[in-house]
């Protein structure tokens, strides 16, 4: 292999596993020379990376829905990149692709990885690069399949979604509106609440940082809740459980309020409401629906095109900001899907 | 109405709502004269009453799957009784019936109650009186529909059931065996564990009073758990959550470990296992399946008849023992379905 002089690949690797909130100390910064792709391989330059709450889970040891990132490994991250060298017939220099690029500037894809669809081309006519990391990316797929498959929304259902202005929440709330539901968001701060109501068409939004969530749910869901799409866990989940309707569905997508807890996860004290209301709480992992991503992407891209769905991304710039940018997801500082722009082209 | 001299109806009424464990102080003992049934009414003499953990919930104030018992009201209880006076064409003196008799010696059924099937005749060829309160009664129906509808057992599934020797647990475990599952019970004490394994054919049973449940589950469910029928809640639920298989189903039937907690219910800390394993936790209330009780009763009675299913009841005698007998359910002193025999015929 020849070296693509003078390309240097700056990388961020997991140095150690955090206890509680993740900090810069958890990361190691490395640099490697970039080489030519192998026969039938592809070299991708990272343009933008998706920063997601799930990353905090990948930093932990132990069994989960996906293997943990190992100590010393480049941090896992999905992203959009550009093919800058290709020895594979299906990919040409200049193609834009989505896939697991990792928190680094360049990534080689081996023939076996390409064979199992580790990268796929994106079409900017369907959405922008940041939208491909948001509504048309993993968060959008998570929202789409979580709501449609587990939530099974019916017209007139009352849908509550936490993390309402976040990546998954945006898709869930707007899609539920399109499906004829009444949608109540929960978000942190007036600006986010105003945004999902005024710009994204939610029926209401509760500001958990400044309002009593229990009282807000009573006001906005006087007859109870049919579907709760849970991105946060913690006390909000308990408040929702207390207001379930018969045969309600709770989609367990995440628990961002709990991921950095050094004392362990808080279990939902009101879980017996599932019994009283013959309700269901079910987990979703987006990868299970990979075969059907194209169908969901086509549907969501249609909504973006005809204006029935909007997207909002919060773009931070510079690979080196990764450690602090990631923390924003847990303090709620991001406003919209958090994207790390590594290179502009 | 004439008085059926010299019949006196001894009753037990809710005097006040317990905080923590229920005691004799929560009850009021009253006596009323028994009168003739009204036109199209029926008078039933209580033979045996079903004592169930759910009773503790009915003593609490507030919304649940059923209205609370009001202060001063005769305590709600299902039971088997004998018609001793009838002015209704469908019921004759001597008929044995099942229905909501209450914790009392006699109960009048008004025409409107009979119309909505508040009592129905039982057939002793299908099972004994105590079996009609157990496998063929509410516990059996709960186990049957919880397992079959929510659990959806498939051959080879690993099924765990807590309260294994109790009323619901017996039916769940034996039915799961009949359906081709591997069944692991959890019960308190060696005698109960031996019983469900040796007499009822469970594959294994973990004695939560003397064994480490976590280790026991690891031993007996090395590849994880497909179905958990939860009658107890608390720490055992957390241990099971930690061992779920993909697409596992947890039937939330009760939480007997939590009903008498004065400090509130303990939420399942490991609930995010639902996410990791794309698993489901769902509540069941037996009344929802009332239309299909006859189908389930016929099936279960068949198993009792051909010996594929056994039943065990723990019969306590005397209406006046009700307060202390009820407490047995929460200390685990009962061995089998707890039945209060009020009269022998």
């Amino acid at each position: 292999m020849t070296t693509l002089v003078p390309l240097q690949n700056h990388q961020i690797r997991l140095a150690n596993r955090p206890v509680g909130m993740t900090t810069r100390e958890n990361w190691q910064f490395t640099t490697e020379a970039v080489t030519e792709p192998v026969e039938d391989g592809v070299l991708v330059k990272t343009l933008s990376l998706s920063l997601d709450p799930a990353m905090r889970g990948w930093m932990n040891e132990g069994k989960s829905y996906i293997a943990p990132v190992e100590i010393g490994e480049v941090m896992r991250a999905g992203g959009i990149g550009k093919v800058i060298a290709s020895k594979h017939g299906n990919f040409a220099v200049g193609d834009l692709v989505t896939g697991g690029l990792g928190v680094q500037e360049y990534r080689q894809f081996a023939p076996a990885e390409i064979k199992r669809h580790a990268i796929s081309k994106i079409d900017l006519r369907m959405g922008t690069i940041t939208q491909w990391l948001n509504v048309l990316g993993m968060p959008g797929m998570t929202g789409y399949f979580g709501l449609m498959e587990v939530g099974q929304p019916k017209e007139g259902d009352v849908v509550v979604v936490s993390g309402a202005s976040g990546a998954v929440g945006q898709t869930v709330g707007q899609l539920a509106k399109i499906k004829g539901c009444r949608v109540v968001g929960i978000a942190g701060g007036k600006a986010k609440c105003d945004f999902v109501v005024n710009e994204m068409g939610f029926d209401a939004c509760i500001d958990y940082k400044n309002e009593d969530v229990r009282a807000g749910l009573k006001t906005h869901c006087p007859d109870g809740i049919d579907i709760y799409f849970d991105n946060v866990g913690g006390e909000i989940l308990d408040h929702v459980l207390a207001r379930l309707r018969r045969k309600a569905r709770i989609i367990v997508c995440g628990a961002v309020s709990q991921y950095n807890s050094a004392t362990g996860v808080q279990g939902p004290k009101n879980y017996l409401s599932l019994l009283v209301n013959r309700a269901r709480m079910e987990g979703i992992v987006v990868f299970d629906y990979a075969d059907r991503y194209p169908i969901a992407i086509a549907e969501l891209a249609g909504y973006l095109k005809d204006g029935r769905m909007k997207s909002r991304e919060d773009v931070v710039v510079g690979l080196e900001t990764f450690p602090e940018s990631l923390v924003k997801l847990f303090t709620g500082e991001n406003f919209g899907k958090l994207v790390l722009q590594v290179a502009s082209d």
Side-chain angles (χ1 to χ4, degrees), chain A residues 45-99:
Chain A
K45 179 185 178 186
T46 304
L47 297 179
S48 285
L49 295 174
S50 176
L51 301 194
D52 298 284
M55 288 175 148
R56 182 61 187 79
W58 306 341
M59 298 170 75
N60 292 338
E61 200 154 15
K63 184 193 162 193
S64 185
Y65 64 94
I66 192 172
V69 174
E70 295 303 330
I71 303 291
E73 203 180 336
V74 173
M75 179 60 188
R76 181 185 296 143
I80 305 291
K82 196 168 68 174
V83 174
I84 59 165
S86 174
K87 293 183 179 166
H88 192 289
N90 293 353
F91 294 92
V93 170
D95 280 352
L96 292 178
V97 294
T98 182

Short mmCIF file of all heavy atoms in Angstrom, two decimals, chain A residues 45-99:
data_model
loop_
_atom_site.label_atom_id
_atom_site.label_comp_id
_atom_site.label_asym_id
_atom_site.label_seq_id
_atom_site.Cartn_x
_atom_site.Cartn_y
_atom_site.Cartn_z
N LYS A 45 -13.37 9.99 3.25
CA LYS A 45 -13.01 11.14 4.07
C LYS A 45 -14.26 11.58 4.83
O LYS A 45 -15.33 11.77 4.24
CB LYS A 45 -12.53 12.28 3.18
CG LYS A 45 -12.17 13.55 3.94
CD LYS A 45 -11.80 14.68 2.99
CE LYS A 45 -11.49 15.94 3.78
NZ LYS A 45 -11.28 17.10 2.89
N THR A 46 -14.12 11.73 6.14
CA THR A 46 -15.27 12.13 6.96
C THR A 46 -15.65 13.57 6.71
O THR A 46 -14.79 14.46 6.76
CB THR A 46 -14.91 11.98 8.46
OG1 THR A 46 -14.47 10.65 8.70
CG2 THR A 46 -16.10 12.31 9.33
N LEU A 47 -16.94 13.80 6.45
CA LEU A 47 -17.43 15.17 6.37
C LEU A 47 -18.14 15.54 7.68
O LEU A 47 -17.74 16.48 8.36
CB LEU A 47 -18.39 15.32 5.17
CG LEU A 47 -17.75 15.06 3.80
CD1 LEU A 47 -18.80 15.23 2.69
CD2 LEU A 47 -16.57 15.99 3.53
N SER A 48 -19.15 14.79 8.03
CA SER A 48 -19.89 15.08 9.26
C SER A 48 -20.21 13.80 10.01
O SER A 48 -20.51 12.77 9.41
CB SER A 48 -21.20 15.80 8.93
OG SER A 48 -20.94 17.15 8.58
N LEU A 49 -20.17 13.89 11.35
CA LEU A 49 -20.48 12.74 12.20
C LEU A 49 -21.74 13.00 13.01
O LEU A 49 -22.03 14.15 13.38
CB LEU A 49 -19.31 12.47 13.16
CG LEU A 49 -17.99 12.04 12.51
CD1 LEU A 49 -16.90 11.96 13.58
CD2 LEU A 49 -18.14 10.70 11.80
N SER A 50 -22.43 11.93 13.28
CA SER A 50 -23.63 12.01 14.11
C SER A 50 -23.21 11.82 15.57
O SER A 50 -22.55 10.84 15.91
CB SER A 50 -24.57 10.88 13.69
OG SER A 50 -25.70 10.86 14.53
N LEU A 51 -23.59 12.77 16.42
CA LEU A 51 -23.34 12.59 17.86
C LEU A 51 -24.66 12.19 18.51
O LEU A 51 -25.67 12.88 18.35
CB LEU A 51 -22.79 13.87 18.49
CG LEU A 51 -21.47 14.41 17.91
CD1 LEU A 51 -20.88 15.47 18.84
CD2 LEU A 51 -20.46 13.29 17.67
N ASP A 52 -24.64 11.09 19.22
CA ASP A 52 -25.88 10.53 19.75
C ASP A 52 -25.73 10.11 21.19
O ASP A 52 -24.67 9.62 21.59
CB ASP A 52 -26.27 9.28 18.92
CG ASP A 52 -26.52 9.63 17.48
OD1 ASP A 52 -27.59 10.19 17.21
OD2 ASP A 52 -25.64 9.37 16.63
N PRO A 53 -26.81 10.20 21.97
CA PRO A 53 -26.76 9.75 23.36
C PRO A 53 -26.31 8.29 23.49
O PRO A 53 -25.66 7.92 24.47
CB PRO A 53 -28.21 9.92 23.84
CG PRO A 53 -28.77 11.00 22.97
CD PRO A 53 -28.10 10.82 21.63
N ALA A 54 -26.65 7.48 22.50
CA ALA A 54 -26.27 6.06 22.56
C ALA A 54 -24.77 5.87 22.71
O ALA A 54 -24.30 4.86 23.24
CB ALA A 54 -26.76 5.34 21.31
N MET A 55 -23.99 6.87 22.25
CA MET A 55 -22.53 6.76 22.35
C MET A 55 -22.08 6.53 23.78
O MET A 55 -21.08 5.85 24.03
CB MET A 55 -21.88 8.03 21.82
CG MET A 55 -21.99 8.15 20.30
SD MET A 55 -21.33 9.74 19.74
CE MET A 55 -20.71 9.26 18.12
N ARG A 56 -22.82 7.14 24.71
CA ARG A 56 -22.44 6.99 26.12
C ARG A 56 -22.52 5.53 26.55
O ARG A 56 -21.69 5.04 27.30
CB ARG A 56 -23.34 7.88 26.99
CG ARG A 56 -23.03 7.86 28.47
CD ARG A 56 -21.62 8.35 28.77
NE ARG A 56 -21.31 8.15 30.18
CZ ARG A 56 -20.96 6.98 30.70
NH1 ARG A 56 -20.87 5.92 29.94
NH2 ARG A 56 -20.69 6.89 32.00
N GLY A 57 -23.53 4.84 26.02
CA GLY A 57 -23.67 3.41 26.32
C GLY A 57 -22.55 2.58 25.73
O GLY A 57 -22.06 1.64 26.35
N TRP A 58 -22.12 2.94 24.53
CA TRP A 58 -21.05 2.17 23.87
C TRP A 58 -19.73 2.29 24.63
O TRP A 58 -18.83 1.46 24.45
CB TRP A 58 -20.82 2.68 22.44
CG TRP A 58 -22.05 2.70 21.57
CD1 TRP A 58 -23.22 2.01 21.77
CD2 TRP A 58 -22.24 3.45 20.36
NE1 TRP A 58 -24.11 2.30 20.77
CE2 TRP A 58 -23.54 3.18 19.89
CE3 TRP A 58 -21.44 4.34 19.63
CZ2 TRP A 58 -24.06 3.75 18.73
CZ3 TRP A 58 -21.95 4.91 18.46
CH2 TRP A 58 -23.24 4.62 18.02
N MET A 59 -19.61 3.32 25.45
CA MET A 59 -18.38 3.52 26.24
C MET A 59 -18.32 2.61 27.46
O MET A 59 -17.28 2.48 28.09
CB MET A 59 -18.27 4.99 26.69
CG MET A 59 -18.17 5.98 25.53
SD MET A 59 -18.34 7.72 26.08
CE MET A 59 -16.73 7.97 26.84
N ASN A 60 -19.47 2.02 27.80
CA ASN A 60 -19.51 1.13 28.97
C ASN A 60 -19.10 -0.28 28.59
O ASN A 60 -19.31 -0.72 27.47
CB ASN A 60 -20.92 1.07 29.55
CG ASN A 60 -21.34 2.39 30.17
OD1 ASN A 60 -20.51 3.21 30.53
ND2 ASN A 60 -22.64 2.59 30.28
N GLU A 61 -18.58 -0.97 29.58
CA GLU A 61 -18.27 -2.37 29.39
C GLU A 61 -19.57 -3.18 29.46
O GLU A 61 -20.56 -2.74 30.02
CB GLU A 61 -17.33 -2.85 30.52
CG GLU A 61 -16.59 -4.09 30.14
CD GLU A 61 -15.26 -4.21 30.91
OE1 GLU A 61 -15.09 -3.48 31.91
OE2 GLU A 61 -14.42 -5.01 30.48
N GLY A 62 -19.54 -4.37 28.93
CA GLY A 62 -20.65 -5.29 29.17
C GLY A 62 -21.62 -5.38 28.03
O GLY A 62 -21.67 -4.55 27.13
N LYS A 63 -22.42 -6.43 28.10
CA LYS A 63 -23.39 -6.78 27.08
C LYS A 63 -24.41 -5.65 26.87
O LYS A 63 -24.94 -5.09 27.81
CB LYS A 63 -24.13 -8.05 27.54
CG LYS A 63 -25.11 -8.61 26.54
CD LYS A 63 -26.01 -9.67 27.17
CE LYS A 63 -27.25 -9.88 26.30
NZ LYS A 63 -28.31 -10.64 26.96
N SER A 64 -24.64 -5.32 25.63
CA SER A 64 -25.73 -4.42 25.30
C SER A 64 -26.24 -4.83 23.94
O SER A 64 -25.96 -5.94 23.48
CB SER A 64 -25.25 -2.98 25.33
OG SER A 64 -26.35 -2.11 25.11
N TYR A 65 -26.97 -3.98 23.26
CA TYR A 65 -27.50 -4.35 21.96
C TYR A 65 -26.41 -4.35 20.91
O TYR A 65 -26.60 -4.79 19.77
CB TYR A 65 -28.64 -3.41 21.54
CG TYR A 65 -28.23 -1.98 21.34
CD1 TYR A 65 -27.89 -1.52 20.08
CD2 TYR A 65 -28.17 -1.10 22.41
CE1 TYR A 65 -27.49 -0.21 19.89
CE2 TYR A 65 -27.78 0.21 22.23
CZ TYR A 65 -27.45 0.65 20.98
OH TYR A 65 -27.05 1.95 20.79
N ILE A 66 -25.24 -3.86 21.28
CA ILE A 66 -24.11 -3.77 20.37
C ILE A 66 -22.86 -3.90 21.25
O ILE A 66 -22.91 -3.56 22.43
CB ILE A 66 -24.17 -2.41 19.61
CG1 ILE A 66 -23.20 -2.36 18.44
CG2 ILE A 66 -23.99 -1.25 20.52
CD1 ILE A 66 -23.40 -1.11 17.57
N ALA A 67 -21.79 -4.40 20.70
CA ALA A 67 -20.58 -4.59 21.50
C ALA A 67 -20.06 -3.24 21.99
O ALA A 67 -20.21 -2.23 21.30
CB ALA A 67 -19.51 -5.29 20.66
N PRO A 68 -19.46 -3.20 23.17
CA PRO A 68 -18.88 -1.94 23.62
C PRO A 68 -17.68 -1.57 22.75
O PRO A 68 -17.08 -2.42 22.10
CB PRO A 68 -18.44 -2.23 25.06
CG PRO A 68 -18.33 -3.71 25.16
CD PRO A 68 -19.27 -4.28 24.15
N VAL A 69 -17.37 -0.28 22.71
CA VAL A 69 -16.11 0.15 22.09
C VAL A 69 -14.99 -0.29 23.03
O VAL A 69 -15.08 -0.09 24.25
CB VAL A 69 -16.11 1.68 21.88
CG1 VAL A 69 -14.76 2.15 21.35
CG2 VAL A 69 -17.24 2.08 20.93
N GLU A 70 -13.98 -0.91 22.47
CA GLU A 70 -12.89 -1.39 23.32
C GLU A 70 -11.94 -0.23 23.66
O GLU A 70 -11.83 0.74 22.91
CB GLU A 70 -12.11 -2.50 22.59
CG GLU A 70 -12.91 -3.76 22.33
CD GLU A 70 -13.48 -4.37 23.60
OE1 GLU A 70 -12.87 -4.22 24.69
OE2 GLU A 70 -14.56 -4.98 23.51
N ILE A 71 -11.26 -0.37 24.76
CA ILE A 71 -10.25 0.61 25.14
C ILE A 71 -9.17 0.64 24.05
O ILE A 71 -8.69 -0.42 23.62
CB ILE A 71 -9.59 0.24 26.49
CG1 ILE A 71 -10.65 0.12 27.60
CG2 ILE A 71 -8.49 1.24 26.87
CD1 ILE A 71 -11.29 1.41 28.02
N GLY A 72 -8.84 1.81 23.60
CA GLY A 72 -7.83 1.95 22.55
C GLY A 72 -8.40 1.96 21.15
O GLY A 72 -7.70 2.28 20.18
N GLU A 73 -9.68 1.63 21.03
CA GLU A 73 -10.33 1.59 19.72
C GLU A 73 -10.79 3.01 19.33
O GLU A 73 -11.12 3.83 20.20
CB GLU A 73 -11.56 0.67 19.83
CG GLU A 73 -12.03 0.07 18.52
CD GLU A 73 -13.27 -0.83 18.73
OE1 GLU A 73 -13.47 -1.34 19.85
OE2 GLU A 73 -14.03 -0.98 17.76
N VAL A 74 -10.80 3.29 18.02
CA VAL A 74 -11.38 4.55 17.55
C VAL A 74 -12.85 4.56 17.94
O VAL A 74 -13.56 3.58 17.73
CB VAL A 74 -11.22 4.69 16.02
CG1 VAL A 74 -11.98 5.92 15.51
CG2 VAL A 74 -9.75 4.80 15.63
N MET A 75 -13.32 5.67 18.49
CA MET A 75 -14.71 5.74 18.93
C MET A 75 -15.65 5.53 17.76
O MET A 75 -15.48 6.10 16.69
CB MET A 75 -14.97 7.10 19.59
CG MET A 75 -16.40 7.28 20.07
SD MET A 75 -16.88 6.04 21.33
CE MET A 75 -18.64 6.40 21.48
N ARG A 76 -16.64 4.71 18.00
CA ARG A 76 -17.65 4.41 16.97
C ARG A 76 -18.52 5.64 16.71
O ARG A 76 -18.90 6.35 17.65
CB ARG A 76 -18.53 3.27 17.48
CG ARG A 76 -19.61 2.80 16.54
CD ARG A 76 -20.48 1.75 17.20
NE ARG A 76 -19.75 0.54 17.51
CZ ARG A 76 -19.93 -0.21 18.61
NH1 ARG A 76 -20.80 0.15 19.51
NH2 ARG A 76 -19.22 -1.30 18.80
N ALA A 77 -18.81 5.90 15.46
CA ALA A 77 -19.72 6.99 15.11
C ALA A 77 -20.21 6.78 13.69
O ALA A 77 -19.44 6.37 12.82
CB ALA A 77 -19.03 8.36 15.22
N GLY A 78 -21.48 7.05 13.48
CA GLY A 78 -22.01 7.07 12.13
C GLY A 78 -21.74 8.43 11.52
O GLY A 78 -21.60 9.42 12.23
N GLY A 79 -21.64 8.48 10.21
CA GLY A 79 -21.39 9.77 9.60
C GLY A 79 -21.59 9.75 8.09
O GLY A 79 -21.92 8.72 7.50
N ILE A 80 -21.37 10.91 7.51
CA ILE A 80 -21.41 11.07 6.06
C ILE A 80 -19.99 11.41 5.61
O ILE A 80 -19.32 12.24 6.23
CB ILE A 80 -22.33 12.23 5.64
CG1 ILE A 80 -23.74 12.06 6.23
CG2 ILE A 80 -22.35 12.38 4.11
CD1 ILE A 80 -24.55 10.93 5.66
N GLY A 81 -19.54 10.74 4.57
CA GLY A 81 -18.20 11.01 4.06
C GLY A 81 -18.18 11.03 2.55
O GLY A 81 -19.20 10.77 1.89
N LYS A 82 -17.01 11.32 2.04
CA LYS A 82 -16.84 11.39 0.59
C LYS A 82 -15.78 10.38 0.19
O LYS A 82 -14.73 10.29 0.84
CB LYS A 82 -16.37 12.80 0.22
CG LYS A 82 -16.51 13.12 -1.25
CD LYS A 82 -16.31 14.61 -1.52
CE LYS A 82 -14.85 15.00 -1.25
NZ LYS A 82 -14.60 16.42 -1.63
N VAL A 83 -16.06 9.63 -0.85
CA VAL A 83 -15.07 8.67 -1.34
C VAL A 83 -13.92 9.45 -1.98
O VAL A 83 -14.14 10.27 -2.89
CB VAL A 83 -15.71 7.71 -2.37
CG1 VAL A 83 -14.66 6.80 -2.99
CG2 VAL A 83 -16.83 6.89 -1.71
N ILE A 84 -12.69 9.26 -1.45
CA ILE A 84 -11.56 9.98 -2.04
C ILE A 84 -10.59 9.04 -2.76
O ILE A 84 -9.68 9.50 -3.45
CB ILE A 84 -10.79 10.85 -1.01
CG1 ILE A 84 -10.24 10.00 0.14
CG2 ILE A 84 -11.68 11.98 -0.49
CD1 ILE A 84 -9.20 10.74 0.96
N ALA A 85 -10.78 7.76 -2.60
CA ALA A 85 -10.01 6.78 -3.39
C ALA A 85 -10.83 5.50 -3.39
O ALA A 85 -11.41 5.12 -2.36
CB ALA A 85 -8.64 6.53 -2.76
N SER A 86 -10.94 4.86 -4.55
CA SER A 86 -11.79 3.67 -4.63
C SER A 86 -11.18 2.63 -5.55
O SER A 86 -10.71 2.96 -6.65
CB SER A 86 -13.19 4.04 -5.15
OG SER A 86 -13.95 2.87 -5.35
N LYS A 87 -11.15 1.40 -5.09
CA LYS A 87 -10.78 0.29 -5.95
C LYS A 87 -11.95 -0.69 -6.05
O LYS A 87 -11.77 -1.88 -6.31
CB LYS A 87 -9.52 -0.41 -5.41
CG LYS A 87 -8.30 0.51 -5.52
CD LYS A 87 -7.03 -0.14 -5.08
CE LYS A 87 -5.85 0.82 -5.24
NZ LYS A 87 -4.65 0.33 -4.51
N HIS A 88 -13.16 -0.15 -5.77
CA HIS A 88 -14.38 -0.97 -5.84
C HIS A 88 -15.27 -0.40 -6.94
O HIS A 88 -15.48 0.81 -7.02
CB HIS A 88 -15.11 -0.92 -4.49
CG HIS A 88 -16.21 -1.95 -4.37
ND1 HIS A 88 -17.39 -1.85 -5.08
CD2 HIS A 88 -16.28 -3.10 -3.65
CE1 HIS A 88 -18.15 -2.90 -4.78
NE2 HIS A 88 -17.49 -3.67 -3.92
N GLY A 89 -15.79 -1.30 -7.76
CA GLY A 89 -16.57 -0.88 -8.92
C GLY A 89 -17.82 -0.08 -8.60
O GLY A 89 -18.27 0.74 -9.41
N ASN A 90 -18.41 -0.29 -7.42
CA ASN A 90 -19.67 0.40 -7.11
C ASN A 90 -19.48 1.80 -6.56
O ASN A 90 -20.45 2.53 -6.36
CB ASN A 90 -20.46 -0.41 -6.07
CG ASN A 90 -20.94 -1.73 -6.63
OD1 ASN A 90 -20.78 -1.99 -7.82
ND2 ASN A 90 -21.51 -2.56 -5.77
N PHE A 91 -18.23 2.16 -6.23
CA PHE A 91 -18.00 3.47 -5.63
C PHE A 91 -16.96 4.23 -6.43
O PHE A 91 -15.91 3.69 -6.78
CB PHE A 91 -17.56 3.33 -4.17
CG PHE A 91 -18.63 2.76 -3.29
CD1 PHE A 91 -18.72 1.39 -3.07
CD2 PHE A 91 -19.58 3.59 -2.71
CE1 PHE A 91 -19.72 0.85 -2.28
CE2 PHE A 91 -20.59 3.06 -1.90
CZ PHE A 91 -20.67 1.68 -1.69
N ALA A 92 -17.27 5.50 -6.70
CA ALA A 92 -16.36 6.36 -7.47
C ALA A 92 -15.90 7.51 -6.60
O ALA A 92 -16.61 7.90 -5.65
CB ALA A 92 -17.07 6.89 -8.70
N VAL A 93 -14.74 8.01 -6.89
CA VAL A 93 -14.26 9.19 -6.16
C VAL A 93 -15.31 10.30 -6.28
O VAL A 93 -15.87 10.54 -7.35
CB VAL A 93 -12.90 9.66 -6.74
CG1 VAL A 93 -12.50 11.02 -6.17
CG2 VAL A 93 -11.82 8.63 -6.42
N GLY A 94 -15.60 10.92 -5.14
CA GLY A 94 -16.60 11.97 -5.12
C GLY A 94 -17.97 11.53 -4.63
O GLY A 94 -18.79 12.35 -4.24
N ASP A 95 -18.21 10.22 -4.62
CA ASP A 95 -19.50 9.71 -4.10
C ASP A 95 -19.65 10.08 -2.63
O ASP A 95 -18.70 9.96 -1.85
CB ASP A 95 -19.56 8.18 -4.21
CG ASP A 95 -19.91 7.70 -5.62
OD1 ASP A 95 -20.26 8.55 -6.47
OD2 ASP A 95 -19.83 6.48 -5.85
N LEU A 96 -20.84 10.48 -2.25
CA LEU A 96 -21.13 10.70 -0.84
C LEU A 96 -21.73 9.42 -0.26
O LEU A 96 -22.61 8.81 -0.87
CB LEU A 96 -22.12 11.86 -0.66
CG LEU A 96 -21.57 13.24 -1.04
CD1 LEU A 96 -22.66 14.30 -0.88
CD2 LEU A 96 -20.36 13.60 -0.16
N VAL A 97 -21.24 9.02 0.90
CA VAL A 97 -21.72 7.77 1.50
C VAL A 97 -22.04 7.98 2.99
O VAL A 97 -21.51 8.89 3.64
CB VAL A 97 -20.67 6.63 1.38
CG1 VAL A 97 -20.45 6.27 -0.08
CG2 VAL A 97 -19.35 7.03 2.05
N THR A 98 -22.89 7.10 3.50
CA THR A 98 -23.17 7.08 4.93
C THR A 98 -22.73 5.73 5.48
O THR A 98 -22.80 4.72 4.79
CB THR A 98 -24.66 7.34 5.22
OG1 THR A 98 -24.86 7.34 6.63
CG2 THR A 98 -25.57 6.29 4.58
N GLY A 99 -22.25 5.75 6.71
CA GLY A 99 -21.79 4.49 7.33
C GLY A 99 -21.05 4.77 8.62
O GLY A 99 -20.98 5.91 9.09
#
